Amino acid sequence: MNIKEIKSKKLYKEYSLEIPFEDIDKEINEKINNLIPTVSIPGFRKGKAPLSIVKKKYEDSVLNEVIQNVVSSKTNDLIKEKKLNLFRQPKIDLKQFEKNKPTQIEIKIDLQPEIKLKDFKEIKLNKYEINLSKKNLDDQYKKFIDSQKSFKKIENNRKILKDDRVLINFKTTNETIPEYLRSQTNMPIDTGLEQELLPGINKQLISKLKEGDKKNITFDLSKLLQNEKLNKIDYEIEVVSIEEKVKFEINKEYLEKNGFKSEDDLKKLLKENSSQQYNQGIKQIEKKQLMDLLNEQYNFDLPEGVLEEDFNEIWQRLEDAKKNGNLDKDDKALSEQELRKRYKKISERRVKLGVLLQHIANEQKITVSEQELSQGIMQYSSQYPGQEKQIMEYLKKNPTSVESIRGPILEQKIIDSISSMANLSKKSINDEQYKKLEEETFNIKKENI
């Protein structure tokens, strides 16, 4: 095997490998020899056909597997020979394969940085507790009342208006669409909401359709499903019924229907929900403060390949935002050079903290159990009422999507582990102090993150 180093940095290596065809051919022969006892070739007894004849028939069918095995084996030999401490699995690119000629491959390898963990007992963190003011609770109650909607079926069969609630049936014959978006019956659509199950459906309904109408409509699902090919999906839409918005009132019927003995019970629940929302915000503030401390306390070399990959991913999103006119206001004011400087800093922080958290997880043997992952999937699915089953089935069929659920669970377990060892100071804050703390913690202009 001929090895050539084509790029070398402290934590990143690129190699070109030339594997003699004889090595590939030897593996093919071994594979074919293992097949011979099971093969029937006309003119020969089962398992008695010569290697050359069996090889001629089956070589192409085993070739891909053989190449993968040989490349994997040679890559492992390279790693052992060079005594490389890998950060992640190497990226292998098959550059050339031709029968009776050497196979050319390129290998990109990110190396593990040296990280010495500090004593987490020396970390000082704030643990916040929220005490909501009466004014805040009163305002929250008023917002709840204002946000509630009551509907009644329209008396005359008019066209759909904004703020109507419409029950529709929809279906598409496109089988590449996830099942929960392929077909639904009696699906409620609130035309007053910006959030739409099918992008642009409110515009297609309002002032155009009446109860009983059926219409074929094309929707662009490319952004929703992150697939450019799904930009023109034909649906059949049927309007089942239309309900108009009426003034909402808290009365005995509403309280009993929703399991409240009195209006005070409702207020108590709203207070608990409000506290829970603030606590979620506090959790994010505490996380950001911890990440800031870790970012300040640790300095180590970053795997250049991972860093380049992360920055390119960020930059591609920026390019897309530019193209679609969705660039953030503060980004628009910057030159390309300034933008690159800003987002390289962001990328360096992201990669540093990601590498550090992964190192902590490995050192402390923190993992996500199957039970925790299942609970995470159920919690994610519950965000889509009535579609839980379809979403869970979609996740089962697309294992890579599950990583977007596993990642945050693991991250939170690492944060909880650090916090359990840190020096915590409890601080009680009211809603005004919370607002100020939130602004200080997530000051984007100040920190550019």
Side-chain angles (χ1 to χ4, degrees), residues 31 43 55 152 179 183 237 243 283 316 371 431:
K31 196 79 176 172
K55 184 176 181 180
K152 71 171 185 177
E179 190 175 339
S183 173
I237 305 293
E243 298 174 337
K283 207 171 184 178
Q316 184 59 55
Q371 183 180 358
D431 37 278

Side-chain angles (χ1 to χ4, degrees), residues 10 90 93 110 165 172 187 205 248 282 287 340 399 446:
K10 191 166 185 178
D93 186 8
D110 288 290
R165 182 168 67 186
T172 178
M187 173 61 68
L205 294 175
F248 174 77
I282 284 173
K287 173 186 170 182
R340 284 187 176 274
K446 181 180 176 183

Side-chain angles (χ1 to χ4, degrees), residues 127-139:
K127 191 71 179 174
Y128 299 100
E129 184 180 89
I130 189 76
N131 291 312
L132 300 178
S133 65
K134 183 178 183 303
K135 181 180 181 304
N136 179 281
L137 295 173
D138 289 343
D139 288 345

Side-chain angles (χ1 to χ4, degrees), residues 80-93:
K80 289 176 183 178
E81 180 183 328
K82 301 292 183 181
K83 297 180 180 178
L84 302 176
N85 184 14
L86 272 59
F87 173 72
R88 61 178 180 177
Q89 286 297 313
K91 298 202 169 189
I92 301 170
D93 186 8

